[in-house]
Amino acid sequence: MIGPAEFEDMRLDLLAMDERARLYDAALVPLNRHWKERGAASVGSVNRICESVYARAEDRPLADWKAVVTEAVELAGFGIVWNGDAVASLEARR
């Protein structure tokens, strides 16, 4: 049987997954806007960035969304220039 401690663990896991998903969604808004307006380098680069955003979102507060995006983009081999909360440009690093 499942006891109170196991239920609490499941509840905490669900809360953590929800927070991670909210951060992921917030982080992808400016990226999606940028890709829609200017296009993306490739499907592969978009996939790498999205996977990296998801990985870096674990155990981070929602307020860290911009740092998560910056780190993820850099890990995928791109530089990012911000204009406030909007992505001004993404540039491949060589």
Side-chain angles (χ1 to χ4, degrees), residues 23-38:
L23 192 152
Y24 180 81
D25 289 345
L28 286 185
V29 167
L31 288 171
N32 285 329
R33 211 174 274 134
H34 175 79
W35 290 326
K36 181 180 175 191
E37 293 171 2
R38 294 176 187 85

Side-chain angles (χ1 to χ4, degrees), residues 7-65:
F7 279 120
E8 182 64 11
D9 286 345
M10 287 189 297
R11 186 184 74 76
L12 293 174
D13 288 345
L14 288 172
L15 288 174
M17 286 177 10
D18 182 56
E19 283 296 310
R20 186 180 197 180
R22 288 179 50 210
L23 192 152
Y24 180 81
D25 289 345
L28 286 185
V29 167
L31 288 171
N32 285 329
R33 211 174 274 134
H34 175 79
W35 290 326
K36 181 180 175 191
E37 293 171 2
R38 294 176 187 85
S42 70
V43 171
S45 64
V46 170
N47 285 338
R48 279 193 312 276
I49 291 170
C50 290
E51 288 170 1
S52 187
V53 166
Y54 185 76
R56 304 209 55 79
E58 186 171 17
D59 297 326
R60 302 277 293 267
L62 182 59
D64 279 358
W65 71 267

